[in-house]
Amino acid sequence: GSKDGSVTVFDNDGLAENGAYKKVLKLVKLIDDPITVVTNFDDLVAVGSKDGAVRFYDSQLRIKNWYGTFDSGRVDSISFACNDKNSSESDENIKAMPAESTLNAQPFVVTDFTISTDESIICHVPAKTNQVKKLLQEHDDAVKAIDTHPVSNYIAVGSYCGLLKIWDYIEKSEVNSRAFGLGNEITAMSYDKVGEFLAVGFYDGTILILDSTTLETISGGEFSHAKALITQLAFSHDSIFLAATDLDDTTTLIKRASDSENEWNYIGRNKAHYKSIVNIIFGIALDSNVPRLLTLGMDRNLVEYDILNSTEDNLIVMSTDKIEQSATPVSCAWYPPINKEHFLLVANSEYKYKLLNATTKRCRKTLLGPTHGSHIQKIVNLAYPEDKHYIAFITEDKIGMTTLALDGNPHNTTALLAHCDGASNIVACPNSRFLFTVGGKVCRMWEVNPDVLHATAALGGSGLEPFYQLLEGGKEGPLAKEMEEYFYYSQMRSQSVATTKHRKVGQHVALEEVPNIMRALGFYPTELQVQDMINEVKFSQYVDTGKTVSEIDLETLIKLYCNHRPVFGLPLYQVYDAFSTLAGADSDGRIDRGLLLSLLQNKGEHISEPELAEYLASLLELHGSATNKEDKMAVVVASEAGTTLERVLPEIIDADMFTGHVLGFMPAAIAE
């Protein structure tokens, strides 16, 4: 068959002159639509087409009959029931057959047959009744929405074709299904915490609350306040609140009338983010049973809502906290209660985990995350008996697991390829025995085996060994030796380098020396990063002892360096991209000195004109009368700062000049 509705007739006996192909006898136009399948039944030719019909022709390609009432999409295959040649139809059965579509109107004798279509539907067609019955319907479009039942062994799967299916993942059998039809793309789903309701979000912003057993929409369970694709749905722990996010970066809150009623009421919406919302999460307030609602956005803001005091059409924002400076948060989850302090775990685009205090939202710890090709897309908690805790995650195309508590050890994480065309979602069953991921049109089920993860971690070594492996050259390499030298040199600095008195060399250095050691090692943290590092060590024992820490040992310093430094360093292309952004699209990457100095002082972290002049003078080695290399830190008088800046920088600055002349990068490095 061909796209123009023609069939090609070949000579079944002879070959073409070159002997490689059958000889073509003629081309016959049968229909106007493309022909998708051609097969035969006895002396009949069966033709399936794009319009969803099946037509039967005789050996001379004259129409005998057709079936055009399937309404199931393009026909991709036709299969006939087994025909016993030794049996013959009775006269009564033949008379019961439908008539041919010819002038003679003879009975059309054919066995029952099945067809499959491009909409992932298999239909059974009885020859006598011509009443089509759907045997199976599966997803023929992208699957984005999945969730597991909190009590039963069920998983709900929804796709862009509008099909919702409930499967028993232990018995591998279908439990129930509902087809919402084309144009009703399912984009998000969530069970409530007891499995009574199933919330479904759609492409057009509609939210339906279904009975989880019958999949029927409950009375008053349809909400159409959002006008953009629903991205996420979440129920509170007590199944009283339902929250949703959409592509308009807006949060919607719906509330159940009471515990004993199935009536749900719309509360309000709030556009608290100016970029996409990556996570919506309910929690429980400390020392109470009051639910908390938080959203995390690509605008780096963590927003908490006052859901108890929100009234109709008025969803109140309680607090907004900026949790990142340069990285973009990509997912979050509540950290399991393995510490006395309550944490929110956040993964970002720079391959880092951050533990935020659940009350203050301040960063308490930064840890190295998985580096498996791309950053994390989503995190889920896995809980096991005997206080064993893990997290599972997906990256762009992989699924992985990490042992808790987090410490930055890369050997505590393992990952496997999950979906070649990209993973879009992950959920865990209630007992964490199985994980489910979706990507494209595929939903995959994974069995969890934590013992393998523990074996992998054991092979990676214990103590500092995994962290030494993260340093260039390992434990005996130049970086490790240099770090040790800087550690002990910092003790000398704190006792004055020029002193002739007897020095005390111990196992600790003051916390104030940490930024200097980091910069000496080539890691240049921002002031916020410096504050996070110092606070991480300073308050590391506060919850247990009520005391702060003022010193750091070498082991903690190595872990701090491995966890905080950039995973892939600072590529020079980022410097060039920054110059292009600052200079503007029409400036060819060149920027005026005055504009650059103004941006450096007024954007990002604050820096005064004298400080800027002092730093630039030091970079350019304008040491004045200093003779001691250790004291060659230029000091610029405040009144002379402007003159100094004009003297050390040209009027027009480009990326090559800044990286080579000011920062002192080698030409070979710049070329790279």
Side-chain angles (χ1 to χ4, degrees):
S2 64
K3 291 183 178 180
D4 66 349
S6 301
V7 293
T8 305
V9 181
F10 295 89
D11 185 353
N12 197 37
D13 296 326
L15 297 176
E17 292 181 359
N18 58 11
Y21 304 102
K22 294 284 187 179
K23 182 178 180 181
V24 176
L25 295 180
K26 58 182 176 179
L27 195 66
V28 181
K29 176 79 170 180
L30 297 181
I31 56 177
D32 294 328
D33 292 288
I35 294 175
T36 54
V37 58
V38 177
T39 187
N40 71 293
F41 174 76
D42 291 341
D43 58 347
L44 297 175
V45 177
V47 175
S49 57
K50 187 178 180 180
D51 62 356
V54 175
R55 297 171 175 85
F56 290 88
Y57 299 86
D58 62 15
S59 58
Q60 297 183 15
L61 296 181
R62 295 176 298 189
I63 188 70
K64 299 288 286 185
N65 200 3
W66 69 82
Y67 297 82
T69 58
F70 301 132
D71 192 26
S72 300
R74 183 191 70 214
V75 177
D76 283 343
S77 70
I78 306 171
S79 179
F80 294 92
C82 181
N83 184 20
D84 189 355
K85 296 183 179 181
N86 296 323
S87 64
S88 59
E89 294 282 353
S90 64
D91 293 340
E92 291 77 8
N93 287 338
I94 293 177
K95 291 180 180 179
M97 294 289 185
E100 294 179 349
S101 300
T102 61
L103 293 177
N104 294 331
Q106 296 293 322
F108 181 71
V109 181
V110 68
T111 63
D112 298 351
F113 61 94
T114 60
I115 65 167
S116 66
T117 72
D118 66 332
E119 295 181 6
S120 300
I121 298 174
I122 297 178
C123 297
H124 177 255
V125 185
K128 295 180 181 179
T129 62
N130 198 18
Q131 294 179 351
V132 179
K133 178 183 178 182
K134 287 185 180 179
L135 298 178
L136 180 66
Q137 182 174 5
E138 289 296 339
H139 306 281
D140 71 308
D141 209 336
V143 177
K144 298 291 185 181
I146 55 171
D147 198 20
T148 53
H149 196 282
V151 179
S152 303
N153 299 323
Y154 297 158
I155 180 172
V157 183
S159 65
Y160 276 18
C161 69
L163 178 63
L164 168 61
K165 285 196 145 189
I166 312 296
W167 289 87
D168 185 322
Y169 53 80
I170 298 298
E171 299 296 331
K172 308 296 189 298
S173 61
E174 181 180 331
V175 177
N176 202 353
S177 66
R178 179 177 174 181
F180 293 94
L182 296 177
N184 295 296
E185 299 93 335
I186 299 174
T187 58
M189 283 194 302
S190 179
Y191 278 104
D192 75 308
K193 302 310 177 184
V194 294
E196 183 179 0
F197 303 106
L198 176 63
V200 182
F202 293 88
Y203 191 91
D204 63 357
T206 300
I207 300 172
L208 297 182
I209 301 178
L210 312 180
D211 182 289
S212 64
T213 303
T214 64
L215 298 186
E216 295 298 324
T217 307
I218 66 172
S219 178
E222 181 174 351
F223 301 90
S224 302
H225 300 85
K227 303 303 178 185
L229 180 151
I230 301 298
T231 55
Q232 295 183 68
L233 291 163
F235 281 93
S236 60
H237 72 285
D238 53 8
S239 300
I240 297 297
F241 293 96
L242 169 64
T245 59
D246 57 53
L247 275 186
D248 280 342
D249 314 326
T250 305
T251 304
T252 302
L253 184 65
I254 301 168
K255 184 179 180 181
R256 191 176 181 181
S258 67
D259 293 342
S260 59
E261 297 182 11
N262 289 346
E263 180 182 352
W264 292 78
N265 300 315
Y266 166 75
I267 298 298
R269 288 161 50 78
N270 197 311
K271 187 178 175 66
H273 297 271
Y274 62 88
K275 287 187 177 181
S276 299
I277 299 174
V278 297
N279 247 116
I280 183 168
I281 185 172
F282 274 101
I284 306 175
L286 295 177
D287 302 322
S288 71
N289 199 41
V290 178
R292 302 172 61 188
L293 175 63
L294 300 94
T295 55
L296 180 64
M298 295 185 71
D299 55 4
R300 304 184 177 96
N301 286 331
L302 179 64
V303 178
E304 183 168 4
Y305 303 85
D306 187 355
I307 60 178
L308 296 183
N309 295 317
S310 296
T311 56
E312 187 173 355
D313 289 327
N314 183 28
L315 178 57
I316 301 172
V317 172
M318 181 184 296
S319 64
T320 301
D321 298 274
K322 187 169 286 294
I323 63 170
E324 292 285 359
Q325 188 175 38
S326 59
T328 302
V330 292
S331 185
C332 68
W334 292 111
Y335 197 66
I338 56 180
N339 302 87
K340 291 183 179 180
E341 194 172 359
H342 194 199
F343 291 124
L344 179 67
L345 174 63
V346 177
N348 67 29
S349 59
E350 294 181 350
Y351 301 88
K352 303 288 186 182
Y353 285 127
K354 287 195 173 183
L355 294 180
L356 309 182
N357 181 280
T359 303
T360 65
K361 320 289 196 330
R362 294 293 178 261
C363 179
R364 289 286 291 104
K365 205 165 188 179
T366 300
L367 301 147
L368 179 64
T371 55
H372 297 285
S374 65
H375 58 71
I376 285 176
Q377 305 284 346
K378 186 179 178 181
I379 307 170
V380 294
N381 277 315
L382 303 179
Y384 278 83
E386 302 176 3
D387 296 327
K388 293 182 179 179
H389 297 277
Y390 310 87
I391 56 173
F393 61 86
I394 54 170
T395 64
E396 184 176 313
D397 57 358
K398 296 180 178 64
I399 180 174
M401 276 183 60
T402 300
T403 305
L404 301 183
L406 294 173
D407 61 358
N409 181 354
H411 298 290
N412 286 338
T413 297
T414 188
L416 297 170
L417 181 64
H419 299 270
C420 294
D421 52 354
S424 57
N425 205 348
I426 180 173
V427 294
C429 68
N431 61 7
S432 300
R433 180 184 172 190
F434 300 107
L435 294 171
F436 301 88
T437 59
V438 290
K441 302 178 184 179
V442 178
C443 177
R444 289 201 167 108
M445 177 178 174
W446 306 81
E447 185 173 4
V448 178
N449 185 0
D451 294 336
V452 175
L453 190 59
H454 290 296
T456 303
L459 291 174
S462 59
L464 275 182
E465 187 175 351
F467 297 93
Y468 275 122
Q469 294 172 12
L470 294 173
L471 302 178
E472 291 78 357
K475 185 176 181 179
E476 304 300 327
L479 182 57
K481 297 296 183 183
E482 194 174 7
M483 183 177 292
E484 187 175 347
E485 290 175 0
Y486 289 143
F487 178 81
Y488 290 111
Y489 177 70
S490 295
Q491 297 185 38
M492 297 172 60
R493 273 173 48 92
S494 63
Q495 301 173 44
S496 179
V497 176
T499 185
T500 58
K501 297 180 180 180
H502 179 71
R503 297 187 179 90
K504 296 180 180 180
V505 179
Q507 301 298 318
H508 298 81
V509 297
L511 274 181
E512 292 74 15
E513 292 294 327
V514 169
N516 296 326
I517 297 176
M518 295 296 176
R519 294 180 183 120
L521 292 168
F523 167 37
Y524 303 97
T526 64
E527 292 303 315
L528 179 61
Q529 290 174 318
V530 168
Q531 181 182 345
D532 286 344
M533 284 191 291
I534 291 178
N535 288 340
E536 180 176 321
V537 180
K538 184 177 182 180
F539 296 102
S540 59
Q541 301 176 16
Y542 187 81
V543 175
D544 297 322
T545 65
K547 298 180 181 179
T548 58
V549 177
S550 59
E551 296 179 323
I552 184 173
D553 57 22
L554 181 59
E555 179 177 337
T556 306
L557 180 67
I558 293 173
K559 291 182 179 180
L560 200 68
Y561 174 75
C562 292
N563 282 321
H564 281 263
R565 68 170 178 170
V567 174
F568 301 112
L570 178 62
L572 282 176
Y573 74 83
Q574 292 185 1
V575 178
Y576 285 84
D577 290 344
F579 256 85
S580 299
T581 302
L582 295 174
D586 301 327
S587 61
D588 195 25
R590 298 161 63 88
I591 187 170
D592 179 75
R593 177 182 61 202
L595 176 58
L596 177 61
L597 295 176
S598 175
L599 291 171
L600 290 174
Q601 294 176 68
N602 300 315
K603 299 295 184 181
E605 294 183 337
H606 175 72
I607 181 172
S608 65
E609 187 177 55
E611 288 176 327
L612 181 58
E614 180 178 331
Y615 298 154
L616 288 173
S618 298
L619 284 169
L620 297 171
E621 298 184 351
L622 304 178
H623 307 297
S625 59
T627 56
N628 186 351
K629 185 176 181 180
E630 305 299 338
D631 297 330
K632 286 186 177 183
M633 180 67 183
V635 178
V636 179
V637 180
S639 59
E640 301 176 358
T643 304
T644 301
L645 291 172
E646 292 180 2
R647 180 165 56 89
V648 299
L649 293 177
E651 292 186 6
I652 302 298
I653 303 171
D654 60 16
D656 289 331
M657 182 272 168
F658 191 80
T659 54
H661 183 59
V662 178
L663 299 181
F665 289 156
M666 298 297 292
I670 296 175
E672 293 176 1

